[in-house]
Amino acid sequence: MKKINIIAMLMACAGVSQAAVTLPDQVGDCMVLQRDTVANVWGWASPGAEIVVTGDWNNVPVKVKADKKGAWKAGLSTPAGSFTPHKVNIKGDGSDLTLSDVLIGEVWIASGQSNMEMPLAGFWSCPVRGANRAIAESGNYKGRVRVATLPLVGTPTLQDKVAGAWKESEPANAPQFTAIGYKFACTLSDMLGVPVGVIRAAYGGSKVEGWLPKEIVKDYPDIDMKDAETYDEKLHYYRPTVMYNAMLYPISNYTAKGFLWNQGESNVGKHDTYADRLSTMVKEWRRLWGDEKGEMSFYSVQLPGYEYGDGLYATSGALLREAQQKAMDMTPNCGLVTSIDLQEPGQYRQIHPALKSEIGERLAWMAAAKNYGVAGIKCDSPRLNNVELKGDKAEVYLTGGEEGVGPWQDLKGFEVAGDDRVFYPAQAVNEAVWPGTPHITLSAPEVKEIKAVRYCFRNWPEGNVTDLRGLPLLPFRSDDW
């Protein structure tokens, strides 16, 4: 009996030894590693233990030691991307782990609130247009596109781990993939000819302050840090810092190309602080990822059309869109994807627009053009350059619309105002006569002396102006009333 007990104890000790090295969910089978760089692989072991990590593409062992808390991180030099599955071996502290079906390609972090969280399966009474076809055809991207979906969690303190393993693109998995992130990945993979992985770290209803650390948020005069420690599941997403702690910080070791961001609805009404805080968030995320040069790209999606709290044709949403644009303009390596043309009649009380594929495509076009040098693609929407006021007429000149805009006639969405600051719908004439500089001439019978011009500057914008590639004109106002 004594001999049997000794053997059992030895076997138990051996089991503990074999399980000494532990890994986060995101470092495992089916993961996608960023190509052409030094990509991190990390985990935990006994303090001081030597860990050896080897990728089969070069068979060069990387040796590291676990710190006093047992944490370790190894950087693997990765090759050019391909669809060839690889293996990564991790040895040390009595463990010998092999991660299989590892792809080398492009990795992006998709974050924000519910419109980025929204899966292909949709939300309750909120469909995604074309979802069934996308799910049915998702097997075509097996071995090409993978998604890691993090759970909706928030904590008042920093966490080392968060659940969310990589999933292959196939009909059984695709319904729970972020709709925007999945279309982005498929489109980018098609253009680049390499695998694309997306980590979805999004929480519906979350504010920008929820994705910032305590050290920054504690100095905001309108934020009560006690809210970060008050646990109420129904109001979880409104709390400051908690998504940063529980969803972002745990994946900050994961080497990625950049960030996709779709958020802002919960900050409507706070446009006066949003631009600075979003810009601060971008800089903090880059710092967290060790990107001191600010090279990681950050692409944001414009706030959708919605009734919001002040009414269908009021301006709280428009002001937040303006703040989004300011944040992207003031921060290097950023971009804004316009989405105001992707609203549909009857959805002005639906905060989750159904047209998600188009947003994913536009994000992919922006990444292809700005990050990967794919020639011939336009990704930036036309925007206001200047307005020339000429009595009862105003001439609008655009940047990005120098070759003219569409439609040829019946341009919609423009308004003009005089000294009384009352805006009236404007008659818009597309002045695309060759030769000459294309522009748009505005007038309204109610305004004899135009002092200000606006385009789609409403919560529910109704405009139709695009450039020659179909990218919609950015909303604008020439006044700051």
Side-chain angles (χ1 to χ4, degrees):
M1 178 66 70
K2 184 175 181 180
K3 183 177 180 180
I4 294 174
N5 288 340
I6 293 173
I7 293 174
M9 288 174 64
L10 291 173
M11 291 178 65
C13 290
V16 171
S17 177
Q18 289 298 317
V21 171
T22 59
L23 303 172
D25 264 12
Q26 295 74 40
V27 177
D29 295 343
C30 202
M31 67 179 174
V32 182
L33 293 179
Q34 178 63 39
R35 62 174 173 162
D36 294 320
T37 191
V38 177
N40 292 330
V41 173
W42 76 98
W44 300 269
S46 301
E50 183 177 82
I51 308 298
V52 182
V53 185
T54 308
D56 70 357
W57 52 87
N58 60 10
N59 289 312
V60 176
V62 177
K63 298 180 181 180
V64 296
K65 278 193 174 183
D67 64 18
K68 294 180 179 180
K69 294 183 178 181
W72 58 266
K73 180 172 67 175
L76 300 181
S77 295
T78 53
S82 76
F83 299 111
T84 301
H86 291 282
K87 293 183 178 180
V88 174
N89 181 257
I90 302 171
K91 289 183 179 180
D93 207 13
S95 298
D96 189 348
L97 308 175
T98 298
L99 311 182
S100 302
D101 197 17
V102 175
L103 295 180
I104 312 295
E106 292 296 319
V107 179
W108 288 76
I109 312 296
S111 189
Q113 57 183 112
S114 57
N115 274 308
M116 184 63 84
E117 175 196 336
M118 191 173 185
L120 281 170
F123 289 141
W124 186 84
S125 293
C126 305
V128 172
R129 178 73 62 82
N132 214 40
R133 179 179 294 277
I135 293 167
E137 296 176 352
S138 60
N140 295 336
Y141 288 91
K142 190 170 186 177
R144 300 176 62 91
V145 167
R146 290 170 181 178
V147 178
T149 303
L150 308 190
L152 278 60
V153 290
T155 59
T157 57
L158 291 174
Q159 302 297 303
D160 292 328
K161 301 177 184 178
V162 63
W166 289 95
K167 298 292 184 181
E168 183 68 271
S169 179
E170 57 187 14
N173 297 327
Q176 297 311 311
F177 288 170
T178 161
I180 289 176
Y182 177 69
K183 186 61 177 182
F184 166 86
C186 293
T187 304
L188 193 61
S189 180
D190 286 343
M191 286 190 288
L192 301 182
V194 297
V196 176
V198 170
I199 300 176
R200 192 209 76 179
Y203 199 130
S206 58
K207 297 182 178 182
V208 69
E209 294 84 1
W211 297 96
L212 282 164
K214 177 181 179 180
E215 292 72 21
I216 292 175
V217 176
K218 67 180 177 60
D219 294 326
Y220 292 159
D222 58 319
I223 299 298
D224 186 351
M225 287 306 298
K226 292 180 180 178
D227 292 340
E229 301 174 359
T230 303
Y231 186 83
D232 182 341
E233 188 63 37
K234 294 181 179 178
L235 300 177
H236 203 54
Y237 46 81
Y238 280 128
R239 297 194 290 158
T241 78
V242 297
M243 275 66 71
Y244 178 94
N245 293 337
M247 298 180 71
L248 194 78
Y249 185 83
I251 62 168
S252 59
N253 280 329
Y254 210 104
T255 306
K257 190 71 172 181
F259 307 98
L260 311 175
W261 177 253
N262 194 334
Q263 189 275 341
E265 295 89 339
S266 291
N267 283 91
V268 169
K270 297 289 186 179
H271 53 273
D272 54 335
T273 60
Y274 188 80
D276 285 336
R277 292 181 186 182
L278 181 58
S279 179
T280 296
M281 191 197 81
V282 175
K283 295 170 186 174
E284 167 59 23
W285 285 19
R286 289 170 174 166
R287 184 205 63 77
L288 186 61
W289 257 260
D291 176 31
E292 300 297 341
K293 295 181 179 179
E295 295 175 345
M296 292 182 73
S297 296
F298 186 97
Y299 300 138
S300 180
V301 179
Q302 190 180 58
L303 194 73
Y306 184 66
E307 190 172 44
Y308 296 107
D310 51 344
L312 198 62
Y313 298 112
T315 60
S316 63
L319 291 166
L320 199 284
R321 292 187 198 103
E322 184 180 65
Q324 290 177 315
Q325 184 176 323
K326 287 180 180 178
M328 296 299 95
D329 288 346
M330 66 194 288
T331 317
N333 296 323
C334 288
L336 180 68
V337 166
T338 315
S339 65
I340 59 165
D341 62 321
L342 302 179
Q343 60 194 33
E344 297 178 297
Q347 289 195 339
Y348 54 86
R349 290 183 179 175
Q350 173 52 271
I351 198 65
H352 304 117
L355 301 178
K356 291 289 186 282
S357 290
E358 291 81 354
I359 294 174
E361 283 181 341
R362 290 175 186 178
L363 286 167
W365 297 340
M366 186 165 282
K370 293 181 181 291
N371 293 96
Y372 307 106
V374 178
I377 298 176
K378 288 197 69 174
C379 62
D380 289 314
S381 283
R383 60 195 302 173
L384 177 67
N385 186 342
N386 67 291
V387 176
E388 294 183 6
L389 302 178
K390 298 181 177 180
D392 63 349
K393 289 184 171 53
E395 294 181 354
V396 176
Y397 295 85
L398 305 176
T399 296
E402 296 88 350
E403 297 178 347
V405 297
W408 188 259
Q409 296 177 330
D410 298 325
L411 277 63
K412 299 177 181 178
F414 292 96
E415 296 178 290
V416 295
D419 284 326
D420 60 2
R421 302 186 179 186
V422 177
F423 281 88
Y424 296 91
Q427 298 171 355
V429 178
N430 193 349
E431 306 283 6
V433 180
W434 181 266
T437 302
H439 60 278
I440 301 165
T441 299
L442 306 179
S443 62
E446 298 90 346
V447 183
K448 303 305 180 184
E449 187 77 18
I450 297 176
K451 297 295 183 180
V453 173
R454 292 182 176 184
Y455 175 74
C456 281
F457 209 78
R458 301 286 184 182
N459 289 345
W460 181 258
E462 296 177 338
N464 64 347
V465 180
T466 69
D467 67 8
L468 300 189
R469 299 289 182 85
L471 294 176
L473 174 61
L474 280 170
F476 66 81
R477 57 173 175 163
S478 68
D479 60 286
D480 58 358
W481 295 337

